[in-house]
Amino acid sequence: MLDVLIIGSGPAGLSAAIYAKRANLDVTVLEKLYMGTGQVAESGRVDNYLGLPGMSGYEMGEAFRRHAEEFGVSFLEGEAAAIAKMQEGFEVSLADGRQLTAKTVIYAAGATHRHLGIDGEDAFAGRGVSYCAVCDGAFYRGKTVAVAGGGNTALDDALYLSEMCEKVYLIHRRAEFRGAAVTLEKLKAKKNVEILAPAVISAVKGEKKVSGVVLADGRDIACQGLFIAVGMMPQTELLNGVISLDAAGYAMADETGKTSLAGFFVAGDVRNKALRQVVTAAADGANAAVSAAEYLRQG
Protein backbone atom coordinates (compact mmCIF):
# COMPACT_ATOMS: atom_id res chain seq x y z
CA MET A 1 0.00 0.00 0.00
CA LEU A 2 1.34 3.39 -1.03
CA ASP A 3 1.68 6.23 1.45
CA VAL A 4 0.42 8.73 -1.11
CA LEU A 5 -1.25 8.27 -4.49
CA ILE A 6 -1.38 11.46 -6.53
CA ILE A 7 -3.91 11.59 -9.36
CA GLY A 8 -2.79 14.07 -12.02
CA SER A 9 0.67 15.16 -13.14
CA GLY A 10 0.20 18.86 -13.72
CA PRO A 11 2.01 21.50 -11.62
CA ALA A 12 -0.14 20.70 -8.56
CA GLY A 13 0.42 16.95 -8.73
CA LEU A 14 4.15 17.22 -9.45
CA SER A 15 4.68 19.78 -6.69
CA ALA A 16 2.84 17.48 -4.29
CA ALA A 17 5.00 14.56 -5.43
CA ILE A 18 8.25 16.42 -4.74
CA TYR A 19 7.12 17.51 -1.27
CA ALA A 20 5.85 14.01 -0.46
CA LYS A 21 9.14 12.48 -1.59
CA ARG A 22 11.11 14.97 0.50
CA ALA A 23 9.03 13.80 3.47
CA ASN A 24 10.34 10.27 2.75
CA LEU A 25 6.93 8.97 1.74
CA ASP A 26 6.23 6.19 -0.77
CA VAL A 27 4.50 8.16 -3.52
CA THR A 28 3.24 7.38 -7.02
CA VAL A 29 1.76 9.78 -9.56
CA LEU A 30 -1.07 8.41 -11.70
CA GLU A 31 -1.57 10.17 -15.05
CA LYS A 32 -3.93 9.11 -17.84
CA LEU A 33 -1.89 10.75 -20.63
CA TYR A 34 1.48 9.41 -21.73
CA MET A 35 4.16 11.67 -20.19
CA GLY A 36 1.42 14.18 -19.40
CA THR A 37 2.25 17.41 -17.58
CA GLY A 38 -1.18 18.99 -17.30
CA GLN A 39 -2.87 21.99 -18.81
CA VAL A 40 0.29 24.11 -18.61
CA ALA A 41 1.59 22.26 -21.69
CA GLU A 42 -1.07 24.03 -23.78
CA SER A 43 0.36 27.50 -23.06
CA GLY A 44 2.52 28.88 -25.82
CA ARG A 45 4.49 31.01 -23.37
CA VAL A 46 4.43 31.50 -19.60
CA ASP A 47 5.72 34.86 -18.41
CA ASN A 48 4.29 35.05 -14.89
CA TYR A 49 6.02 32.17 -13.10
CA LEU A 50 8.71 33.58 -10.84
CA GLY A 51 12.26 33.12 -12.13
CA LEU A 52 11.30 31.36 -15.38
CA PRO A 53 10.05 34.08 -17.75
CA GLY A 54 9.50 33.35 -21.42
CA MET A 55 9.40 29.58 -21.10
CA SER A 56 6.83 27.70 -23.15
CA GLY A 57 4.20 25.81 -21.20
CA TYR A 58 5.41 22.55 -22.70
CA GLU A 59 9.01 23.23 -21.58
CA MET A 60 7.85 24.25 -18.12
CA GLY A 61 5.76 21.10 -17.72
CA GLU A 62 8.71 18.98 -18.85
CA ALA A 63 10.99 20.74 -16.37
CA PHE A 64 8.54 20.09 -13.54
CA ARG A 65 8.32 16.42 -14.46
CA ARG A 66 12.11 16.02 -14.71
CA HIS A 67 12.42 17.56 -11.25
CA ALA A 68 10.02 14.98 -9.83
CA GLU A 69 11.74 12.12 -11.67
CA GLU A 70 15.14 13.20 -10.35
CA PHE A 71 13.70 12.99 -6.84
CA GLY A 72 12.77 9.37 -7.49
CA VAL A 73 9.02 9.87 -7.83
CA SER A 74 7.28 6.88 -9.44
CA PHE A 75 4.89 7.44 -12.35
CA LEU A 76 2.12 5.17 -13.55
CA GLU A 77 0.14 5.65 -16.75
CA GLY A 78 -3.54 4.93 -16.30
CA GLU A 79 -6.95 6.50 -15.82
CA ALA A 80 -8.71 6.45 -12.46
CA ALA A 81 -12.24 5.12 -12.86
CA ALA A 82 -13.46 4.84 -9.24
CA ILE A 83 -12.33 5.77 -5.74
CA ALA A 84 -13.47 3.91 -2.63
CA LYS A 85 -12.70 4.50 1.04
CA MET A 86 -11.42 1.43 2.85
CA GLN A 87 -10.89 0.86 6.55
CA GLU A 88 -7.23 1.74 6.15
CA GLY A 89 -6.85 4.08 3.22
CA PHE A 90 -8.28 4.11 -0.28
CA GLU A 91 -8.74 1.82 -3.23
CA VAL A 92 -8.50 3.39 -6.69
CA SER A 93 -9.79 1.31 -9.60
CA LEU A 94 -8.33 2.07 -13.02
CA ALA A 95 -10.18 1.98 -16.32
CA ASP A 96 -8.16 -1.06 -17.45
CA GLY A 97 -9.15 -3.08 -14.38
CA ARG A 98 -6.04 -2.55 -12.27
CA GLN A 99 -6.42 -1.49 -8.66
CA LEU A 100 -4.20 0.64 -6.46
CA THR A 101 -4.31 1.11 -2.72
CA ALA A 102 -2.95 4.04 -0.75
CA LYS A 103 -3.11 5.40 2.76
CA THR A 104 -3.81 8.89 1.38
CA VAL A 105 -4.85 10.35 -1.96
CA ILE A 106 -4.04 13.77 -3.41
CA TYR A 107 -6.44 14.51 -6.26
CA ALA A 108 -4.96 16.99 -8.74
CA ALA A 109 -6.74 16.17 -12.00
CA GLY A 110 -7.27 19.83 -12.90
CA ALA A 111 -9.99 21.58 -14.84
CA THR A 112 -10.59 22.23 -18.51
CA HIS A 113 -11.73 25.40 -20.24
CA ARG A 114 -15.06 25.32 -21.97
CA HIS A 115 -14.67 25.85 -25.71
CA LEU A 116 -16.90 27.71 -28.14
CA GLY A 117 -16.63 24.86 -30.64
CA ILE A 118 -16.21 27.18 -33.62
CA ASP A 119 -14.14 26.94 -36.79
CA GLY A 120 -10.52 27.87 -36.21
CA GLU A 121 -10.67 27.71 -32.41
CA ASP A 122 -8.47 24.66 -32.00
CA ALA A 123 -6.23 25.53 -34.95
CA PHE A 124 -5.32 28.93 -33.46
CA ALA A 125 -5.04 27.84 -29.81
CA GLY A 126 -1.80 29.39 -28.55
CA ARG A 127 -1.56 31.46 -31.73
CA GLY A 128 -4.10 34.13 -30.90
CA VAL A 129 -6.77 32.10 -29.14
CA SER A 130 -6.35 32.07 -25.36
CA TYR A 131 -8.43 30.97 -22.39
CA CYS A 132 -6.55 33.01 -19.78
CA ALA A 133 -6.24 36.81 -19.92
CA VAL A 134 -4.05 36.94 -16.82
CA CYS A 135 -1.65 34.42 -18.39
CA ASP A 136 -1.47 35.82 -21.92
CA GLY A 137 -2.80 39.38 -21.84
CA ALA A 138 0.63 41.01 -21.75
CA PHE A 139 1.45 39.55 -25.17
CA TYR A 140 -1.29 41.73 -26.69
CA ARG A 141 -0.20 45.06 -25.27
CA GLY A 142 -1.11 47.83 -27.73
CA LYS A 143 -3.13 45.43 -29.90
CA THR A 144 -6.82 44.78 -30.55
CA VAL A 145 -8.46 41.78 -28.91
CA ALA A 146 -11.89 40.26 -28.47
CA VAL A 147 -13.31 38.65 -25.33
CA ALA A 148 -16.09 36.07 -25.62
CA GLY A 149 -18.40 35.56 -22.66
CA GLY A 150 -20.88 37.26 -20.37
CA GLY A 151 -20.00 36.17 -16.85
CA ASN A 152 -17.73 37.70 -14.25
CA THR A 153 -14.61 36.15 -15.75
CA ALA A 154 -15.33 37.61 -19.18
CA LEU A 155 -16.10 41.06 -17.75
CA ASP A 156 -13.02 41.02 -15.53
CA ASP A 157 -10.88 39.85 -18.45
CA ALA A 158 -12.17 42.64 -20.68
CA LEU A 159 -11.49 45.23 -17.98
CA TYR A 160 -8.02 43.84 -17.37
CA LEU A 161 -7.19 43.83 -21.08
CA SER A 162 -8.55 47.35 -21.57
CA GLU A 163 -5.66 48.66 -19.46
CA MET A 164 -3.05 47.39 -21.93
CA CYS A 165 -4.75 46.84 -25.28
CA GLU A 166 -5.55 49.49 -27.88
CA LYS A 167 -9.07 48.17 -28.23
CA VAL A 168 -11.19 45.44 -26.65
CA TYR A 169 -14.36 43.95 -28.10
CA LEU A 170 -16.59 42.24 -25.55
CA ILE A 171 -18.80 39.79 -27.42
CA HIS A 172 -21.70 38.00 -25.75
CA ARG A 173 -24.44 35.88 -27.29
CA ARG A 174 -27.16 37.43 -25.10
CA ALA A 175 -28.18 41.04 -24.55
CA GLU A 176 -28.04 40.55 -20.77
CA PHE A 177 -24.80 39.84 -18.91
CA ARG A 178 -24.52 37.45 -15.97
CA GLY A 179 -21.47 39.26 -14.60
CA ALA A 180 -21.40 42.02 -12.01
CA ALA A 181 -23.30 45.15 -13.05
CA VAL A 182 -20.64 47.42 -11.57
CA THR A 183 -17.96 45.86 -13.79
CA LEU A 184 -20.20 46.16 -16.83
CA GLU A 185 -20.68 49.87 -16.12
CA LYS A 186 -16.93 50.36 -15.89
CA LEU A 187 -16.53 48.69 -19.28
CA LYS A 188 -19.25 50.87 -20.83
CA ALA A 189 -17.35 53.93 -19.64
CA LYS A 190 -14.11 52.81 -21.32
CA LYS A 191 -13.43 54.54 -24.64
CA ASN A 192 -11.41 51.59 -25.94
CA VAL A 193 -14.05 48.97 -25.14
CA GLU A 194 -16.85 48.11 -27.56
CA ILE A 195 -19.62 45.79 -26.42
CA LEU A 196 -21.28 43.61 -29.05
CA ALA A 197 -24.38 41.95 -27.61
CA PRO A 198 -26.26 39.99 -28.62
CA ALA A 199 -23.67 38.63 -31.02
CA VAL A 200 -22.36 35.15 -31.71
CA ILE A 201 -18.85 34.32 -32.88
CA SER A 202 -19.01 31.71 -35.64
CA ALA A 203 -15.35 31.44 -36.63
CA VAL A 204 -11.80 32.56 -35.97
CA LYS A 205 -9.79 33.54 -39.02
CA GLY A 206 -6.15 34.18 -39.86
CA GLU A 207 -3.12 32.60 -41.45
CA LYS A 208 -0.27 31.85 -39.07
CA LYS A 209 -1.93 33.85 -36.28
CA VAL A 210 -5.38 35.20 -35.54
CA SER A 211 -6.36 38.19 -37.65
CA GLY A 212 -10.02 38.43 -36.66
CA VAL A 213 -13.30 36.75 -35.81
CA VAL A 214 -16.43 36.29 -37.88
CA LEU A 215 -19.86 36.84 -36.32
CA ALA A 216 -22.92 34.78 -37.18
CA ASP A 217 -24.53 37.84 -38.80
CA GLY A 218 -21.62 38.06 -41.25
CA ARG A 219 -19.65 40.88 -39.64
CA ASP A 220 -15.85 40.62 -39.58
CA ILE A 221 -14.12 41.92 -36.46
CA ALA A 222 -10.42 42.57 -36.94
CA CYS A 223 -8.35 41.58 -33.90
CA GLN A 224 -5.07 39.91 -33.05
CA GLY A 225 -6.35 37.88 -30.14
CA LEU A 226 -9.49 36.11 -28.94
CA PHE A 227 -9.89 35.44 -25.23
CA ILE A 228 -12.56 32.83 -24.55
CA ALA A 229 -14.10 33.09 -21.08
CA VAL A 230 -17.18 30.88 -21.09
CA GLY A 231 -16.41 28.82 -18.01
CA MET A 232 -14.33 25.98 -16.64
CA MET A 233 -15.14 22.33 -16.06
CA PRO A 234 -13.41 20.78 -13.03
CA GLN A 235 -12.42 17.16 -13.59
CA THR A 236 -14.25 15.96 -10.50
CA GLU A 237 -16.77 13.45 -11.83
CA LEU A 238 -15.03 10.71 -9.82
CA LEU A 239 -15.47 12.67 -6.62
CA ASN A 240 -19.28 12.74 -6.62
CA GLY A 241 -20.32 10.97 -3.44
CA VAL A 242 -16.71 10.77 -2.24
CA ILE A 243 -16.11 14.33 -0.95
CA SER A 244 -18.07 17.58 -0.75
CA LEU A 245 -18.26 19.58 -4.00
CA ASP A 246 -19.65 23.06 -4.53
CA ALA A 247 -22.48 23.87 -6.95
CA ALA A 248 -20.04 24.21 -9.86
CA GLY A 249 -18.42 20.86 -9.11
CA TYR A 250 -15.22 22.14 -7.51
CA ALA A 251 -13.83 20.31 -4.49
CA MET A 252 -14.52 22.06 -1.20
CA ALA A 253 -11.13 22.59 0.44
CA ASP A 254 -9.03 25.42 1.83
CA GLU A 255 -5.32 26.05 1.29
CA THR A 256 -4.40 22.92 3.27
CA GLY A 257 -6.06 20.74 0.65
CA LYS A 258 -8.08 18.96 3.32
CA THR A 259 -11.49 17.79 2.14
CA SER A 260 -14.58 16.47 3.90
CA LEU A 261 -13.03 12.98 3.88
CA ALA A 262 -10.06 12.35 6.18
CA GLY A 263 -6.96 11.31 4.27
CA PHE A 264 -8.25 12.62 0.94
CA PHE A 265 -6.72 15.87 -0.29
CA VAL A 266 -7.09 18.05 -3.37
CA ALA A 267 -4.75 20.48 -5.10
CA GLY A 268 -4.77 22.79 -8.09
CA ASP A 269 -7.63 23.77 -10.36
CA VAL A 270 -10.05 21.19 -8.94
CA ARG A 271 -10.18 23.18 -5.68
CA ASN A 272 -12.71 25.98 -5.16
CA LYS A 273 -10.59 29.14 -5.16
CA ALA A 274 -10.36 32.55 -6.83
CA LEU A 275 -7.12 32.28 -8.82
CA ARG A 276 -6.13 29.32 -10.99
CA GLN A 277 -2.54 29.74 -12.16
CA VAL A 278 0.60 27.61 -12.33
CA VAL A 279 1.98 29.29 -9.22
CA THR A 280 -1.18 28.66 -7.17
CA ALA A 281 -1.32 25.05 -8.39
CA ALA A 282 2.26 24.47 -7.27
CA ALA A 283 1.48 26.02 -3.88
CA ASP A 284 -1.62 23.85 -3.54
CA GLY A 285 0.44 20.73 -4.25
CA ALA A 286 2.97 21.62 -1.59
CA ASN A 287 0.26 22.28 0.99
CA ALA A 288 -1.62 19.08 0.19
CA ALA A 289 1.55 16.97 0.51
CA VAL A 290 2.41 18.55 3.85
CA SER A 291 -1.17 17.89 5.02
CA ALA A 292 -0.93 14.27 3.89
CA ALA A 293 2.39 13.81 5.71
CA GLU A 294 0.90 15.25 8.91
CA TYR A 295 -2.14 12.96 8.56
CA LEU A 296 0.10 9.91 8.22
CA ARG A 297 2.20 10.90 11.23
CA GLN A 298 -0.90 11.31 13.37
CA GLY A 299 -2.44 8.04 12.14
Side-chain angles (χ1 to χ4, degrees):
M1 179 179 285
L2 296 167
D3 289 327
V4 184
L5 175 64
I6 298 171
I7 300 175
S9 63
L14 295 176
S15 176
I18 290 169
Y19 272 79
K21 197 67 178 179
R22 283 173 59 85
N24 201 32
L25 299 176
D26 181 16
V27 55
T28 289
V29 175
L30 177 67
E31 170 58 47
K32 65 181 179 180
L33 299 177
Y34 175 70
M35 297 295 287
T37 57
Q39 191 174 291
V40 66
E42 300 174 7
S43 299
R45 176 176 168 134
V46 181
D47 255 352
N48 56 359
Y49 193 84
L50 186 64
L52 300 174
M55 183 177 286
S56 75
Y58 179 82
E59 291 173 324
M60 180 171 283
E62 289 293 296
F64 290 168
R65 184 173 178 120
R66 282 197 303 272
H67 190 170
E69 289 173 341
E70 289 168 2
F71 265 70
V73 173
S74 297
F75 287 82
L76 180 64
E77 185 180 343
E79 182 176 1
I83 299 171
K85 180 72 174 73
M86 303 191 305
Q87 185 173 355
E88 296 181 1
F90 299 86
E91 182 179 78
V92 177
S93 301
L94 306 190
D96 61 9
R98 288 176 293 170
Q99 292 185 328
L100 303 174
T101 57
K103 297 174 185 176
T104 64
V105 171
I106 297 176
Y107 192 86
T112 58
H113 293 280
R114 294 185 187 277
H115 289 207
L116 293 176
I118 58 176
D119 289 343
E121 180 178 0
D122 292 341
F124 288 106
R127 296 190 293 129
V129 171
S130 172
Y131 299 88
C132 180
V134 175
C135 308
D136 300 331
F139 303 136
Y140 298 86
R141 192 175 300 277
K143 298 181 179 181
T144 297
V145 300
V147 176
N152 282 321
T153 299
L155 299 188
D156 290 342
D157 284 357
L159 191 61
Y160 172 77
L161 292 165
S162 72
E163 298 297 324
M164 63 185 76
C165 295
E166 181 179 5
K167 180 158 187 174
V168 177
Y169 291 97
L170 176 59
I171 305 172
H172 183 43
R173 60 181 178 172
R174 298 189 182 93
E176 300 81 20
F177 287 82
R178 292 178 289 104
V182 63
T183 308
L184 185 59
E185 290 306 311
K186 288 179 181 179
L187 287 169
K188 289 179 178 179
K190 289 271 189 176
K191 293 183 178 180
N192 66 332
V193 174
E194 184 174 345
I195 298 174
L196 303 178
V200 175
I201 301 175
S202 60
V204 186
K205 66 177 186 177
E207 293 185 8
K208 293 183 178 180
K209 294 183 179 180
V210 168
S211 64
V213 297
V214 180
L215 303 187
D217 60 12
R219 282 180 290 172
D220 283 347
I221 306 297
C223 61
Q224 290 78 56
L226 170 62
F227 290 84
I228 299 173
V230 292
M232 297 281 291
M233 296 182 294
Q235 303 301 292
T236 55
E237 297 89 347
L238 287 181
L239 305 187
N240 279 307
V242 178
I243 63 170
S244 296
L245 306 176
D246 68 12
Y250 290 97
M252 299 289 288
D254 61 14
E255 287 79 3
T256 66
K258 297 177 182 177
T259 69
S260 57
L261 180 59
F264 195 96
F265 307 89
V266 294
D269 288 358
V270 297
R271 184 171 75 82
N272 59 332
K273 57 180 182 177
L275 185 63
R276 292 182 172 86
Q277 297 280 284
V278 176
V279 68
T280 60
D284 276 2
N287 277 313
V290 170
S291 296
E294 290 176 352
Y295 173 83
L296 291 169
R297 282 196 297 269
Q298 292 171 1

